[in-house]
Amino acid sequence: MENTHVTIDFAAPSDQVARQLIGTLLFVDGVGGRIVETEAYDRDDPASHTFNGQTPRNAAMFGPPGHAYVYLSYGMHWCLNFVCREEGHGAGVLIRAIEPMTGIDIMRARRGVQELRQLCSGPGKLGQALGISRAHYGLALDAPPFALEAAPEAVTVVAGPRIGISKAQETVWRFGLQGSRFLSKPF
DNA sequence: CTTAGGATCGCCT
DNA sequence: GGCGATCCTAAGC
């Protein structure tokens, strides 16, 4: 059955997209839930993979908006981003945490953990739970295996400094669902 | 509760 | 050759 399509405008600045994504439902091959934490990155952003221009690794970030940019973190964690702005710009949003809703047993098996709060509370965990890999690099977000659905209810968004970066730490481009128990870290 | 270190590898200097 | 947009475990307060 069809559901409400998402009204996210991925051509907008990445911080706006990151804020709008909070509360949105994300599924990969039917597995997923509600996005509760994101981070924005932009060209001219010292913390961004695109800061020093286009490379083979970050090419998808310079592709069309509304597509996936996937990268391998620390040699072992696959992380998922949504490309923003116009093609060629080099901006995106890192999906950092999800509230598990559908396919929970699949996520438990992939993670090797039982607790709901440990399934998707971080970009690496989320990538593992949703089965993200190189195969998802550059794929459009409005077609299988991806599916996005509008937030089922209004949410209150909170913001703070980004996590795990060494540059531009003062930029307040981390967004989260207020009071959520599924964040990678509290705000 | 907080901190420190190891795992592991593609990409860039 | 060095370094991460991370995670986990073990040890220290």
Side-chain angles (χ1 to χ4, degrees):
Chain A
M1 87 176 100
E2 292 301 317
N3 209 321
T4 49
H5 72 272
V6 176
T7 56
I8 303 288
D9 177 17
F10 286 105
S14 52
D15 59 320
Q16 290 183 24
V17 176
R19 178 178 285 273
Q20 290 177 20
L21 281 172
I22 301 300
T24 300
L25 305 187
L26 164 66
F27 304 101
V28 181
D29 284 319
V31 176
R34 181 163 69 157
I35 297 173
V36 297
E37 184 181 340
T38 60
E39 276 180 3
Y41 289 88
D42 202 357
R43 187 68 199 271
D44 298 340
D45 171 4
S48 174
H49 288 171
T50 59
F51 184 63
N52 289 311
Q54 185 172 342
T55 68
R57 177 213 203 186
N58 66 26
M61 284 269 272
F62 290 89
H67 287 235
Y69 163 53
V70 169
Y71 70 92
L72 184 60
S73 180
Y74 291 89
M76 61 190 89
H77 303 296
W78 289 101
C79 298
L80 174 64
N81 300 254
F82 294 169
V83 179
C84 299
R85 292 274 192 158
E86 74 280 3
E87 186 166 356
H89 185 93
V93 172
L94 171 67
I95 311 302
R96 287 192 55 89
I98 285 178
E99 176 180 337
M101 293 174 60
T102 307
I104 289 174
D105 287 336
I106 294 176
M107 291 191 266
R108 281 178 170 144
R110 286 171 173 163
R111 292 273 301 118
V113 177
Q114 291 300 307
E115 307 91 87
L116 268 188
R117 297 174 63 168
Q118 289 301 320
L119 296 182
C120 301
S121 55
K125 299 177 186 178
L126 180 160
Q128 185 178 33
L130 297 192
I132 298 298
S133 74
R134 170 142 288 168
H136 298 92
Y137 192 93
L139 296 186
L141 299 172
D142 60 358
F146 288 106
L148 289 173
E149 294 178 16
E153 58 186 72
V155 296
T156 300
V157 178
V158 292
R162 293 176 291 185
I163 292 179
I165 57 173
S166 56
K167 299 187 173 184
Q169 295 176 332
E170 71 286 354
T171 307
V172 182
W173 268 0
R174 174 184 178 228
F175 302 94
L177 176 61
Q178 184 176 56
S180 173
R181 308 189 310 279
F182 301 94
L183 302 170
S184 64
K185 290 179 183 172
F187 279 76

